[in-house]
Amino acid sequence: MSMGRLRYSAAHWGVYQYEAPDGGPAPGVFPRLAPYAGDPDPAPHGLDQLDPRVSALRVAAPCVRRSWLEQGPGARPALRGREPFVQIDWDTAVRLVAGEIERVRDRCGNTAIFGGSYGWASSGRFHHAPSQLHRFLALCGGFVSSVDSYSLGAGSALMPYVCGDINDLHAAHTSWPVLAEHTQLFVAFGGVPLKNARVSWGGAADHRTRGALERMARAGTRFVNVSPLRDTLVTGGEVEWIPIRPNTDTALMLALAFAVQSDPRFERTFIDRCTVGYDRFAAYLTGAVDATPKTPQWASRITGVPPERIESLARDMLGSRTMLNVSWSLQRAAHGEQPFWMVVTLAAMLGQIGLPGGGYGLGYGATNGIGSPHRRLPGPALPRIRNPVSDFIPVARIADLLLNPGEAFSYRGRSYRYPDIKLVYWAGGNPFHHHQDLHRLEQAWRRPETIIFHEQYWTAAARRADIVLPATIALERNDIGCATREGLYVAMRQAVAPYGEARDDYAILADIAGQLGLRERFTEGLTEQEWLERMYRENARRVAEHGIALPSFETFWEQGLVDLSAYDAPQVMHAAFRADPAGHPLRTPSGRIEIFSAEIASFGLADCPSHPVWLEPFEWLGSAAAREYPLHLISDQPPRRLHSQLDRSPYSQAGKVAGREPVWINPADAAARGIASGDLVELYNARGRTIAGAVVSGDVMPGVVRLATGSWWDSPDAGAERSGNPNALTLDRGASSFSQGCSAQTCLVQARRYRGDAPPITTDAPPEIISR
Ligand SMILES: Nc1nc2c(c(=O)[nH]1)N[C@H]1C(S)=C(S)[C@@H](COP(=O)(O)OP(=O)(O)OC[C@H]3O[C@@H](n4cnc5c(=O)[nH]c(N)nc54)[C@H](O)[C@@H]3O)O[C@H]1N2
Ligand SMILES: Nc1nc2c(c(=O)[nH]1)N[C@H]1C(S)=C(S)[C@@H](COP(=O)(O)OP(=O)(O)OC[C@H]3O[C@@H](n4cnc5c(=O)[nH]c(N)nc54)[C@H](O)[C@@H]3O)O[C@H]1N2
Ligand SMILES: [Mo]
């Protein structure tokens, strides 16, 4: 076969390139993926996308759960995930789904359809599965949606009251090169985990975070990592590690603030010009209102950090150009609003917000995009259709929604009710990965009459659906790749023929729309290629308003990449605001940073009051529950995959221990339990049990265990979950009644060595499928 030309594809892990065979994609012809040559630090995760061990788990044809097919909607819901599927043809599948939408809509109305469909899906601006589904369901009369994300539930709800919209703030972060030049002290609460900067939503193009940290270290920046885990900040140079009890960062920051305001060098110029409400907060800080001064001694008892360490760190912060960073994980916890609010408050007290290299960061390292020097420009987007249904849930309240129809919940100071859901329709996410306390979700999952999934793979969620429709992967279709502030447009040309009978989500929904008499409105009469051209051209017009001329669509499609790095513009967060607070106000009620929020005060919430405070987490190492469950479980993002995606790939599997996800445990905690590296370990609490493989390491502090998310949920019976999945253990409770955000990082467990034969993994092959 003669080799053709270089082509590209974008995945969340990175951009990949390959030689396209002449004659185009054909069945059985697989190009060899290589990292994009322009990437200084490529991520290997995406290289396995076409590996046969990954493809073996593809959904090959439309399938229906047997009882549902034989007895109709609602039949034997407890058998979801526990009985065979029946393979059907596409025409039947399209008729079944269309008929089910009509049935539920006519009987119960559109508020009985849940279409939130949360999840990362794949890269590609056109074939973005949740966006396609939302457009389709909006045309069908609407759906119950979800707001916010698992990533930033508490943080994104809070920030508009404190310093602005979270997406605007992310795009405004001070660029890495500016930090290398100016930052003397970088204090990271939760680290800057390089493993997390492997990905960017939509496609990391140049992995810059490792190089950025190394440049800072060489330039002499001093790094302090405040984290239960040492390895979350690696710079190639020295890093001081301050181990901290999980979920107590707000107490530490309060004590740092206490020490700062007692220091003679403390001065209020920035606070008086650029913030509101400091005095209300200060009355709490000093104990004037509650007789508890938030001293280093006070915080030391909560955090485990010695008081002298707190005092010296506060002194150093005042004496240096200091950047304070919080990882997103800090707010994915009970009262997760508080550490985000408090880091802004502490940075305001240091007075360096808006100065190069100083101020605060919300998640340097959480994804590759934070700190990018590329300009924030509009990207190609699928036009939206307004959803006629206004009912919604905060995204992490899915189990509550299904279990408690009609019940009230509060969100951002208002009260709402959960609608009564009969039909769940999902494309591009994996709730049996992302949700907490998955045993509880298993119960909730029995409530709807019908659950429809579009999936590429036999994930735990697909296995628990009634109707499963096989979707193509990004390499099997044409698309445009573009991630915010990654500086690259990628012509994602189809590289391989679709697997089995898989179809694009767009094509599937177009056919169902056709059955419902909505095809023209859904497709607007355009083919895939016409959509791509339209989205590209519309975007080129918007980009032109920023003074940047994109090449024609034809040129883009032919050359494969458009590189915008010539337009890079390193920036300093809040510089314009600092220079002229009245002329460049923040998007907050007062236009300033709100250390005290009158609006949040008006909600009257005990679990999210008017200024940052220390509130005890629901469960933590300082609570009574720690006597029975003395280990705090950190379920962080997995280094070798994105969430549950590609868990069965060789690259992800190479990270397993004894065939399970590794659990990291401190040598003292391991010794006390007779656990050695390589052993199977059972982690348990009152909510569940899971079996993981031990890694004994001093990189995790005593009293803490780490088990990354994303091993494929494997719970076929009443025994322990088999793959090492932390969501067998986590707590399904909103971070607060204000945000209802995901609070996965608040979780206590106990551990013991697993004795006896470990039960086999059952998710390595598709479920049983019978033909009619
Ligand atoms: N314990 C604990 N739990 C957590 C977290 C934690 O820190 N701790 N983190 C949370 C966070 S921050 C997040 S963002 C969530 C992530 O949760 P998700 O985003 O739901 O996880 P993914 O595994 O990325 O799921 C995406 C699914 O979409 C499918 N898919 C990909 N492309 C397509 C497509 O084109 N079409 C269709 N139909 N399907 C497609 C993939 O096969 C995959 O199953 O997890 C959350 N869960
Ligand atoms: N490789 C890879 N990268 C990813 C993802 C992935 O699945 N795989 N997912 C992406 C997504 S969707 C998101 S939202 C981001 C999430 O980004 P984050 O939320 O920042 O990521 P985590 O890995 O959950 O947590 C980072 C670190 O925070 C620390 N930490 C946890 N709890 C505490 C605490 O109470 N106090 C302190 N001081 N530190 C704590 C732990 O050391 C942990 O390793 O990551 C993104 N990046
Ligand atoms: Mo996330």
Side-chain angles (χ1 to χ4, degrees):
M1 193 198 319
S2 75
M3 290 314 266
R5 49 185 298 136
L6 211 51
R7 302 264 194 246
Y8 304 90
S9 189
H12 299 305
W13 315 277
V15 175
Y16 299 92
Q17 62 186 45
Y18 59 94
E19 293 277 346
D22 288 336
V29 179
F30 298 107
R32 250 178 65 106
L33 300 181
Y36 164 49
D39 188 337
D41 181 23
H45 308 55
L47 298 172
D48 282 348
Q49 292 174 84
L50 298 171
D51 189 278
R53 283 156 289 189
V54 174
S55 305
L57 285 154
R58 288 291 296 273
V59 182
C63 291
V64 185
R65 183 170 66 86
R66 186 165 64 190
S67 298
W68 195 99
L69 188 64
E70 291 171 354
Q71 298 163 41
R76 312 183 72 187
L79 292 188
R80 287 192 175 115
R82 294 170 205 275
E83 68 172 324
F85 284 93
V86 181
Q87 184 172 330
I88 55 171
D89 61 54
W90 268 113
D91 285 350
T92 310
V94 164
R95 277 200 310 276
L96 273 184
V97 172
E100 193 49 17
I101 290 172
E102 278 184 317
R103 184 188 74 82
V104 171
R105 195 172 58 180
D106 294 349
R107 259 188 47 235
C108 309
N110 285 76
T111 56
I113 302 176
F114 181 67
S117 190
Y118 179 81
W120 267 57
S122 297
S123 297
R125 292 293 178 127
F126 176 62
H127 291 290
H128 182 248
S131 304
Q132 290 286 356
L133 182 65
H134 291 159
R135 254 185 120 247
F136 165 79
L137 288 176
L139 281 178
C140 294
F143 60 98
V144 175
S145 59
S146 59
V147 298
D148 299 339
S149 62
Y150 277 78
S151 318
L152 283 156
S156 66
L158 176 75
M159 277 301 143
Y161 303 86
V162 176
C163 40
D165 172 79
I166 193 90
N167 292 315
D168 292 346
L169 291 170
H170 280 146
H173 269 57
T174 303
S175 316
W176 285 115
V178 179
L179 301 190
E181 202 178 327
H182 297 278
T183 305
Q184 294 169 309
L185 175 61
F186 190 105
V187 182
F189 298 89
V192 183
L194 285 176
K195 66 175 175 65
N196 292 18
R198 304 274 70 197
V199 309
S200 258
W201 195 82
D206 70 300
H207 288 93
R208 66 183 72 85
T209 309
R210 183 192 312 273
L213 288 173
E214 288 173 356
R215 268 189 294 281
M216 287 176 72
R218 281 199 303 273
T221 306
R222 186 182 146 204
F223 284 93
V224 177
N225 184 20
V226 181
S227 173
L229 306 173
R230 192 208 312 257
D231 63 2
T232 48
L233 182 52
V234 174
T235 66
E238 196 198 327
V239 176
E240 296 159 47
W241 180 33
I242 302 184
I244 183 170
R245 266 184 212 132
N247 292 191
T248 67
D249 299 78
T250 304
L252 175 60
M253 287 189 247
L254 281 164
L256 290 164
F258 185 92
V260 165
Q261 58 87 44
S262 340
D263 191 291
R265 287 170 296 173
F266 173 63
E267 49 102 5
R268 296 184 41 140
T269 317
F270 181 84
I271 289 175
D272 293 338
R273 281 184 72 231
C274 297
T275 74
V276 295
Y278 175 73
D279 292 327
R280 297 288 293 268
F281 166 75
Y284 166 80
L285 184 67
T286 56
V289 291
D290 63 355
T292 306
K294 310 304 173 298
T295 62
Q297 289 75 16
W298 167 84
S300 179
R301 286 190 295 276
I302 296 169
T303 61
V305 180
E308 317 77 60
R309 194 77 185 82
I310 302 175
E311 273 153 15
S312 72
L313 188 57
R315 274 196 304 276
D316 295 346
M317 286 175 170
L318 269 168
S320 322
R321 182 58 56 85
T322 301
M323 173 58 74
L324 305 176
N325 186 54
V326 283
S327 74
W328 296 355
S329 58
L330 264 60
Q331 55 78 61
R332 207 174 302 113
H335 314 121
E337 298 82 7
Q338 304 310 319
F340 267 40
W341 205 343
M342 191 54 218
V343 80
V344 175
T345 301
L346 179 56
M349 292 172 70
L350 295 177
Q352 301 179 12
I353 293 175
L355 293 180
Y360 67 92
L362 305 176
Y364 280 108
T367 73
N368 189 50
I370 308 270
S372 160
H374 298 302
R375 275 176 67 180
R376 186 192 199 185
L377 295 167
L382 191 66
R384 287 184 188 212
I385 297 177
R386 200 185 67 84
N387 178 8
V389 170
S390 58
D391 296 63
F392 71 95
I393 56 164
V395 66
R397 299 279 57 79
I398 173 78
D400 287 349
L401 162 74
L402 300 179
L403 287 169
N404 308 316
E407 210 164 273
F409 67 92
S410 73
Y411 174 70
R412 289 176 68 164
R414 290 185 57 187
S415 182
Y416 304 87
R417 276 184 197 285
Y418 292 122
D420 192 357
I421 300 299
K422 304 292 181 200
L423 170 64
V424 170
Y425 202 149
W426 220 295
N430 184 359
F432 279 90
H433 155 70
H434 64 230
H435 197 57
Q436 286 56 66
D437 195 353
L438 287 176
H439 292 298
R440 184 167 184 259
L441 187 63
E442 298 260 21
Q443 296 303 315
W445 216 238
R446 297 180 179 177
R447 297 300 182 91
E449 292 171 354
T450 299
I451 298 174
I452 304 171
F453 261 76
H454 295 190
E455 248 301 347
Q456 303 163 329
Y457 299 96
W458 281 109
T459 62
R463 287 168 199 261
R464 284 161 180 75
D466 298 315
I467 304 177
V468 184
L469 305 179
T472 51
I473 62 171
L475 289 161
E476 294 167 351
R477 54 204 186 200
N478 294 298
D479 214 329
I480 302 173
C482 166
T484 313
R485 305 188 71 240
E486 288 290 346
L488 214 57
Y489 290 89
V490 184
M492 301 169 63
R493 291 165 71 134
Q494 185 189 350
V496 293
Y499 183 88
E501 296 179 26
R503 293 185 182 175
D504 302 343
D505 296 285
Y506 172 69
I508 299 171
L509 295 169
D511 282 349
I512 300 167
Q515 190 72 25
L516 294 166
L518 298 166
R519 179 184 287 275
E520 270 303 302
R521 290 179 62 200
F522 180 69
T523 64
E524 300 189 27
L526 303 179
T527 62
E528 176 195 65
Q529 195 66 18
E530 287 164 346
W531 269 112
L532 300 186
E533 293 191 31
R534 172 179 157 185
M535 286 168 60
Y536 183 89
R537 294 214 167 93
E538 286 177 357
N539 182 58
R541 273 198 292 277
R542 287 193 297 268
V543 172
E545 289 164 18
H546 295 256
I548 296 173
L550 294 181
S552 71
F553 177 80
E554 290 71 22
T555 306
F556 160 63
W557 200 245
E558 202 38 48
Q559 71 191 26
L561 294 177
V562 172
D563 187 344
L564 297 178
S565 53
Y567 306 100
D568 283 3
Q571 59 185 8
V572 174
M573 178 145 87
H574 296 319
F577 165 67
R578 180 189 182 96
D580 179 7
H584 295 279
L586 301 181
R587 283 172 59 195
T588 61
S590 63
R592 299 203 199 169
I593 291 173
E594 302 216 350
I595 294 173
F596 170 93
S597 163
E599 271 198 45
I600 292 182
S602 76
F603 302 154
L605 303 171
D607 61 356
C608 187
S610 54
H611 57 72
V613 293
W614 159 249
L615 296 167
E616 275 200 42
F618 316 133
E619 48 191 66
W620 65 296
L621 290 175
S623 63
R627 280 197 287 277
E628 201 172 348
Y629 302 113
L631 300 171
H632 194 117
L633 173 71
I634 300 224
S635 51
D636 63 347
Q637 307 295 325
R640 286 175 174 266
R641 54 182 179 270
L642 174 71
H643 314 133
S644 69
Q645 297 194 42
L646 301 185
D647 179 42
R648 310 321 285 173
S649 71
Y651 184 68
S652 169
Q653 290 295 313
K656 305 281 177 179
V657 172
R660 329 272 151 162
E661 196 63 20
V663 57
W664 291 56
I665 184 165
N666 180 271
D669 293 321
R673 292 165 177 80
I675 293 170
S677 282
D679 283 350
L680 287 174
V681 173
E682 186 171 42
L683 298 174
Y684 61 96
N685 60 20
R687 294 179 286 269
R689 292 183 283 152
T690 186
I691 305 170
V695 174
V696 178
S697 167
D699 277 358
V700 40
M701 69 184 270
V704 172
V705 285
R706 156 165 63 185
L707 177 63
T709 61
S711 67
W712 273 22
W713 178 250
D714 190 357
S715 186
D717 53 29
E721 195 282 332
R722 300 173 177 199
S723 73
N725 189 313
N727 284 327
L729 306 161
T730 47
L731 176 67
D732 180 10
R733 179 164 165 191
S736 72
S737 58
F738 168 76
S739 69
Q740 302 289 357
C742 166
S743 65
Q745 302 310 337
T746 297
C747 178
L748 291 181
V749 302
Q750 179 54 293
R752 62 186 163 221
R753 218 177 104 200
Y754 188 88
R755 296 175 198 278
D757 294 333
I761 299 286
T762 69
T763 56
D764 268 338
E768 187 185 348
I769 298 168
I770 49 187
S771 42
R772 243 212 297 214

